[in-house]
């Protein structure tokens, strides 16, 4: 009878070995390997014992057969249970690891609200046939002032407003020098939009920051008139602010445009209760017909070519658009503020 005992013992050892292996399996793949190894129909170790029963003396078969079936069922149950555990992520070897917890949110970047406004402005002008240009932020007196018909004894050139570098170069105070750089390089027709950072010696307050974005526009060609200027900017304003927007051109002065204008809009805004109201007049840009002296400075023939230019502040536009009272909030980089504008 020792043969039978040994076989029952061997089955119990096989069971213990299988249960331990199953408990230690970390994924469905290793569980499947174990299933094949122990209870697989063809070559499974336990199935092999069952298949070999026929060769045993008839009196030994019931005991060993019953034990083999019990071990087989036990291992199969263990396999099922471990499979469920792994699927639900509970218990197992890492009791602290609960895979059923919802995942942590993944931080996704979004475009800055001012960038969103720049992109929107760009998209409108792109559809009107403009291309995009840019120029350096460190400039010379010539590009920032002189070529733009602004003599160096003009009050805006004052060191109190302009940030000069030791080299005598300066941080551009507006994007208008891009007008000069583009006209120097290209013959008309010119039709560009140039967004970029500009710098002024300003004390920060609700409407000023010493570094801010500007967006320049320039159109020069034969036969460009004040009508083109007004119609294009009015079209832009209505597309940006909505179809009901009223546009007003107020006389102004810039050394590089003649005549010059401030462009104001009165837009239809939605109150929190859903009703509509007209806003006050909001100043959105400085603009004008390019001064012939500027065209001469870049070697364009002012008898042949005319044009218009405009400059606006996207942060100001964003503040008006989103109802933000203090422009500094756009530059504080407080994620609680910025994430409210989240848009990929
Ligand atoms: N550069 C002017 C400013 O910074 C704006 C402007 C641009 C005005 C183009 C007229 C034409 O205020």
């Amino acid at each position: 009878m020792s043969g039978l005992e040994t076989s029952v013992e061997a089955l119990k050892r096989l069971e213990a070995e299988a249960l331990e292996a199953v408990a230690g399996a970390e994924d469905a793949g290793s569980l499947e390997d174990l299933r094949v190894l122990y209870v697989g129909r063809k070559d499974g170790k336990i199935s092999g014992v069952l298949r070999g029963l026929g060769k045993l003396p008839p009196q030994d078969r019931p005991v060993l057969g019953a034990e083999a079936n019990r071990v087989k069922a036990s291992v199969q149950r263990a396999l099922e249970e471990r499979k469920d555990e792994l699927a639900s992520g509970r218990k197992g070897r890492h009791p602290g690891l609960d895979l059923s917890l919802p995942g942590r949110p993944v931080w996704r970047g979004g475009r800055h609200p001012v960038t969103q406004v720049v992109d929107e402005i760009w998209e409108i002008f792109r559809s009107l046939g403009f291309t995009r240009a840019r120029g350096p932020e460190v400039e010379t007196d010539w590009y920032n002032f002189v070529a733009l018909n602004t003599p160096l004894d003009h009050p805006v050139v004052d060191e109190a407003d302009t940030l000069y570098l030791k080299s005598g170069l300066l941080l551009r105070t507006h994007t208008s020098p891009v007008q000069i750089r583009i006209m120097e390089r290209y013959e008309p027709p010119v039709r560009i939009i140039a967004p970029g950072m500009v710098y002024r010696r300003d004390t920060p307050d609700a409407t000023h920051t010493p570094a801010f974005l500007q967006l320049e526009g320039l159109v020069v060609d034969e036969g460009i008139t004040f009508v083109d200027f007004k119609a294009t900017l009015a079209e832009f304003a209505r597309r940006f602010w909505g179809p009901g927007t009223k546009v007003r051109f107020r006389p102004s002065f810039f050394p590089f445009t003649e005549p010059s204008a401030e462009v104001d809009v009165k837009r239809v805004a939605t109150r929190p209760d859903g009703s509509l109201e007209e806003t006050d007049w909001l100043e959105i840009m400085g603009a004008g017909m390019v001064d012939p002296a500027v065209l001469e400075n870049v070697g364009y023939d002012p008898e042949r070519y005319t044009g218009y230019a405009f400059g606006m502040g996207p942060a100001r536009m964003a503040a008006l658009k989103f109802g933000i009272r203090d422009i500094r909030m756009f530059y504080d980089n407080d994620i609680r503020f910025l994430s409210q504008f989240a848009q990929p």
Side-chain angles (χ1 to χ4, degrees), residues 8-330:
V8 170
E9 285 310 306
L11 270 170
K12 287 202 193 310
R13 269 201 307 279
L14 201 56
E15 178 186 19
E17 173 194 313
L19 293 183
E20 197 189 322
V22 168
E26 292 296 343
D27 54 63
S30 20
L31 273 184
E32 176 58 15
D33 291 345
L34 292 172
R35 191 191 63 75
V36 172
L37 180 64
Y38 290 104
V39 293
R41 276 211 201 172
K42 265 178 142 184
D43 301 318
K45 291 186 180 183
I46 300 165
S47 316
V49 174
L50 283 164
R51 242 197 323 272
L53 284 178
K55 293 185 196 121
L56 294 176
Q59 69 275 20
D60 288 351
R61 290 179 199 165
V63 181
L64 208 59
E67 184 61 7
N69 276 321
R70 188 195 62 74
V71 170
K72 186 177 180 184
S74 152
V75 172
Q76 274 170 337
R77 205 179 327 111
L79 282 164
E80 283 308 311
E81 282 172 10
R82 184 65 191 144
K83 196 171 153 192
D84 288 349
E85 271 176 21
L86 287 176
S88 68
R90 274 177 285 112
K91 295 187 256 168
R93 278 198 174 173
H94 305 286
L97 180 70
D98 182 354
L99 297 181
S100 69
L101 270 178
R104 302 211 172 105
V106 176
W107 280 102
R108 292 178 62 188
R111 279 177 308 151
H112 190 280
V114 177
T115 306
Q116 290 178 30
V117 165
V118 170
D119 289 350
E120 207 177 311
I121 296 171
W122 158 239
E123 191 51 38
I124 294 169
F125 282 105
R126 192 192 57 78
S127 78
L128 296 172
F130 285 68
T131 52
R132 204 155 155 154
R134 63 161 141 192
E137 292 175 18
V138 174
E139 272 295 10
T140 61
D141 280 331
W142 167 258
Y143 286 105
N144 199 77
F145 297 122
V146 182
L148 287 161
N149 204 33
T150 312
L152 290 176
D153 55 9
H154 191 281
V156 300
V157 185
D158 196 336
E159 291 217 13
D161 303 312
T162 306
L163 290 153
Y164 278 92
L165 306 176
K166 283 206 188 91
S167 57
L169 296 171
L170 53 82
L171 298 182
R172 66 180 177 189
T173 57
H174 53 177
T175 43
S176 299
V178 183
Q179 292 185 31
I180 305 298
R181 290 186 174 273
I182 292 297
M183 289 191 285
E184 272 182 351
R185 274 181 65 183
Y186 302 97
E187 287 302 310
V190 163
R191 199 173 279 267
I192 56 123
I193 287 294
M197 290 303 285
V198 303
Y199 304 87
R200 289 182 196 173
R201 237 165 130 139
D202 263 334
T203 309
D205 63 25
T207 54
H208 296 87
T209 52
F212 60 101
L213 261 182
Q214 254 197 358
L215 189 140
E216 193 81 9
L218 173 71
V219 172
V220 183
D221 199 357
E222 284 180 43
I224 299 289
T225 67
F226 201 83
V227 173
D228 299 295
F229 165 59
K230 255 190 111 166
T232 305
L233 294 185
E235 172 68 13
F236 160 73
R238 277 191 290 270
R239 284 221 220 154
F240 186 86
W241 296 105
T245 303
K246 290 176 183 156
V247 185
R248 173 172 90 174
F249 292 74
R250 243 179 328 111
S252 183
F253 175 80
F254 298 101
F256 36 93
T257 46
E258 181 58 34
S260 302
E262 306 271 359
V263 182
D264 300 341
V265 293
K266 193 190 250 305
R267 65 189 181 104
V268 181
T270 310
R271 292 202 195 89
D273 69 1
S275 63
L276 301 177
E277 74 176 321
E278 273 200 333
T279 63
D280 292 334
W281 285 105
L282 311 168
E283 184 193 316
I284 59 158
M285 64 174 103
M289 300 301 289
V290 180
D291 194 301
V294 174
L295 297 176
E296 248 164 43
N297 285 339
V298 297
Y300 281 8
D301 178 0
E303 296 298 324
R304 185 169 168 203
Y305 297 114
T306 48
Y308 59 87
F310 50 91
M312 54 187 130
R316 182 178 155 72
M317 306 268 284
L320 294 173
K321 190 181 167 94
F322 298 123
I324 306 304
R325 294 229 167 82
D326 191 329
I327 223 160
R328 285 170 294 187
M329 302 195 82
F330 286 127

